[in-house]
Every structure is written in C-alpha cells, then in structure tokens.
Amino acid sequence: MAKVIVGMSGGVDSAVAAYLLKQQGYEVRGVTLRVWGSDEEGDSRCCEIDEARNVCNLLDIKYHPHNCTSLFKDRVIDPFVDAYLDGLTPNPCIECNRYVKWAKMIELADILDADYIATGHYAYVEKLPNGRYTVRKASNIAKDQTYMLYKLTQEQLSRTLMPLGQYTKDEVRAIAEKAGLPCAHKEESQEICFVTEGRYTDFIKDHTDKTLPAEGNFVDVDGNVLGKHKGIHQYTVGQRKGLGIALGYPAFVTKIDAENNTVVLGTEASLMVDKFNCRDVNYLSVPNLSCGDTIRCLAKARYHQTERPATIECTGDGKVMVTLDEAVKGVSPGQSAVFYDEEGRVIGGGIITN
C-alpha cells in the first residue's frame, strides 16, 4: 500500500483530496503547515489546524501539524514586502507553493517514509513521453490552478498527486457532504492568506524595518508632472481607483518607476502590451531552452487572464522575451507569465520584468 501525506488546510478541497485517496487504497496521513499567525493575530486561512485535525479524525487518518512560520517569513513574507517597496506586484502563493508547501511536505514525506505528497489543487500532474513532469489544466477551467504551480520542480512533481483535477467545486462539496465532512460548505477566501485584516499597504508598514517609499510625482508618459502620489508601494500597474487625482479622464497606473520615485498615469489604451520580458523561467514540459530558441505557446500574464497566442524566445540566463500575437493589458512587473501548449499543459513560466 503506497503512503501519501496530504496537505490539509482545514478547507473542503484538501479534505476531499484526503478522502478520495483513502478510498483509492492509499495509506493517508494529514499534514498542516502552520505558516502564519500568533496568539494575538490568529492563524491564516492556509493553516486552520483545529479544523484540519477534526477532518483527519473523522477520516480516521493520522495527523501531523508542523510549524513553518520562520521558513514562510524568509521565503514569502519578506520577498512580498520587498517587492512592493521596489514598485513590483508579487505573487506570494507561487513562491509559497515551491519553497514552503512542496519543499516542506516532501521533507516530511521522507521523514514519514511516504511515497507521495498530495494537495487539493484543481489540476492534473502528467508524466510526458519525454520523461518530464508537468501540470495540466483542470477539467473545470473556472477552478484551474496551474498558473500557481508553474515553479514546481521536476522532483516535486514526480512525487505529487492531485486527485481533484476532474471535479467541479460543486462536485467536491457534494463528496464532502456525503462523507459527512463539516467543511462541505465552508466559504473559500479569495484574498492573500496572510493579509487577514486591512489592506496590504498596512501589512507592509507593519512588517518591515525599512523606510517606506516617500511621496513622489504622478507623471504622464512624457514625464510631465500631474500631481503627487503617496508612495510607490501603494500602487499597482492597471490600478484606476484610489489614485486621489482628477485628470478629467479615466486614468490608470501604467508604470511604476522606483528609481525615480514616479508613478506613470495614462489612458486604458496605454496599458496595452504586446511584448515583455521574464526572468527566472522554470520549464516543466520541456528542457531548458538555449539562447535563441523559440516556442509557440499560449501565454497568460495574470491568474485570471485568458491565454493568448504568443512566441517565447530564450534570451539567456533564465530569461525569455514574450511576443504576443495581439496586445493585452494587465502586464505588471513582479507578476508571473505562464506558458501553455494547446492541450493545456504548462510549458513553463517566469516573473515579468517589464
């Protein structure tokens, strides 16, 4: 009997993943990684230990909570804060998946002599004819989470099970209800798990010893001063609301220039981009590209963006240039671009630089 440890968050998805794997004959153990919270602040929505333990008791599987707060701070919180201070818009869940959740769960799997780890993500893990592992889109596209998984390593994917790839959220809730799990209709959060109250700008202020960016100028695309901003960490590319400036037309943040402490404003049309670059590219379905190599793909530059036909060209040192067939808006430095083939498999992805 193969042994698998399941990352348990206290929510319905991880609970049903554990239930399904037990039904399939695996020896299942539940693990919760406590990544955030204190007696004063409370746990984050990613590590509700009491609820996860209750689910494991109901499923009659062993349960192991594990403290990862220090690792989470080093690999997720600090980079998140620093990115905003540098005028970038980060994706903390992507970093957490590779460097905290998967890294720690595989470490625990080795300690517990488990063959696999598993999560409640909506995606498939596939081993391709070329011997490489990748993730493929869930059958329920509306819940697909492959965008958040592109940074996983080949070793991590080779030991990962994702039993929810074929289900809709309603089907998962129905399975939970039939199994008598109390989380069957638990509401899911759409927010960053560790920003439990207030705005992310308040979180940044409370979790850095660095000097916050000073006020600076709003400028137009030609550099003309339009007014004053409150600090570059309070804005993201594409933002329209909360700018605190009236220009007589709908204005959007089109660029954040940390070096000059300026926030560039423009029209919605000026947000359109058909070419951008990425760094720290991680390849899944194909081996690393060599400088000058190109691949046709479908690219998306935000989690909820629809993929668009594109060409990626390796420019060396883990970087690619992405050329879209048609311009899109919402391309923001610090976010990730993920590249798919026509079958919904992840080719790879990287962090947008410009």
Side-chain angles (χ1 to χ4, degrees):
M1 182 187 300
K3 184 187 294 186
V4 57
I5 65 170
V6 181
M8 307 290 291
S9 67
V12 65
D13 296 329
S14 58
V16 170
Y19 170 78
L20 290 173
L21 290 168
K22 185 176 182 182
Q23 293 293 106
Q24 293 168 21
Y26 288 93
E27 180 185 342
V28 178
R29 292 193 179 193
V31 169
T32 297
L33 304 181
R34 185 173 186 269
V35 297
W36 186 250
S38 67
D39 292 339
E40 292 78 24
E41 298 179 64
D43 288 332
S44 81
R45 289 177 293 271
C46 273
C47 50
E48 294 168 331
I49 291 174
D50 289 342
E51 295 186 34
R53 180 185 287 110
N54 185 34
V55 167
C56 289
N57 288 338
L58 289 171
L59 294 178
D60 192 26
I61 60 177
K62 293 181 179 180
Y63 177 67
H64 308 268
H66 192 81
N67 184 16
C68 294
T69 52
S70 179
L71 177 63
F72 189 75
K73 180 181 184 301
D74 291 343
R75 299 310 303 249
V76 180
I77 298 295
D78 291 347
F80 172 86
V81 171
D82 290 344
Y84 271 107
L85 296 181
D86 290 337
L88 304 174
T89 307
N91 261 316
C93 293
I94 292 174
E95 303 303 312
C96 181
N97 282 337
R98 174 169 174 170
Y99 297 111
V100 180
K101 290 181 180 177
W102 261 259
K104 186 55 66 172
M105 285 178 65
I106 285 182
E107 178 184 319
L108 293 173
D110 290 339
I111 293 172
L112 297 172
D113 196 28
D115 304 279
Y116 300 103
I117 67 170
T119 70
H121 285 87
Y122 288 83
Y124 293 97
V125 177
E126 280 193 8
K127 184 177 183 181
L128 303 176
N130 64 1
R132 294 186 64 84
Y133 288 85
T134 189
V135 285
R136 178 169 57 87
K137 285 185 179 182
S139 298
N140 177 22
I141 296 300
K143 292 298 296 179
D144 173 64
Q145 293 174 300
T146 51
Y147 176 91
M148 295 296 184
L149 304 171
Y150 83 85
K151 269 201 173 184
L152 299 182
T153 68
Q154 291 295 293
E155 179 186 5
Q156 288 171 338
L157 286 173
S158 72
R159 297 183 65 183
T160 298
L161 304 176
M162 294 182 187
L164 301 190
Q166 64 180 302
Y167 296 101
T168 66
K169 187 74 176 192
D170 287 343
E171 289 170 336
V172 166
R173 291 193 185 281
I175 292 170
E177 187 171 16
K178 186 176 180 179
L181 301 178
C183 56
H185 298 286
K186 183 177 179 179
E187 185 178 353
E188 60 182 342
S189 172
Q190 303 296 326
E191 301 172 356
I192 298 172
C193 76
F194 52 86
V195 184
T196 54
E197 294 182 6
R199 302 190 309 154
Y200 74 89
T201 49
D202 298 323
F203 180 90
I204 292 169
K205 181 177 65 176
D206 293 339
H207 292 87
T208 185
D209 294 327
K210 297 180 180 180
T211 301
L212 295 177
E215 292 184 353
N217 290 326
F218 282 124
V219 298
D220 63 19
V221 293
D222 297 317
N224 299 310
V225 176
L226 303 173
K228 289 289 185 180
H229 68 69
K230 298 178 181 179
I232 60 171
H233 63 298
Q234 302 202 41
Y235 305 91
T236 59
V237 172
Q239 180 178 340
R240 176 184 175 186
K241 296 181 179 180
L243 299 181
I245 186 171
L247 298 177
Y249 60 86
F252 296 81
V253 175
T254 62
K255 182 180 179 181
I256 298 173
D257 185 343
E259 183 177 354
N260 295 306
N261 194 30
T262 59
V263 175
V264 182
L265 302 181
T267 63
E268 187 172 13
S270 62
L271 285 172
M272 303 302 290
V273 172
D274 63 2
K275 186 175 292 186
F276 59 91
N277 295 284
C278 294
R279 61 174 172 85
D280 300 334
V281 176
N282 186 55
Y283 295 98
L284 293 187
S285 69
V286 300
N288 290 359
L289 300 185
S290 299
C291 190
D293 289 349
T294 62
I295 292 181
R296 286 290 294 172
C297 67
L298 298 171
K300 63 189 299 184
R302 284 184 179 270
Y303 181 39
H304 293 296
Q305 191 177 75
T306 301
E307 304 88 53
R308 304 295 177 88
T311 299
I312 57 173
E313 177 181 355
C314 177
T315 55
D317 298 323
K319 301 175 183 177
V320 298
M321 179 173 66
V322 183
T323 304
L324 298 162
D325 289 6
E326 297 182 5
V328 298
K329 64 180 180 179
V331 178
S332 179
Q335 291 279 295
S336 288
V338 179
F339 319 122
Y340 296 82
D341 65 21
E342 292 185 351
E343 302 301 320
R345 302 182 186 92
V346 173
I347 296 170
I351 298 174
I352 298 167
T353 56
N354 66 306

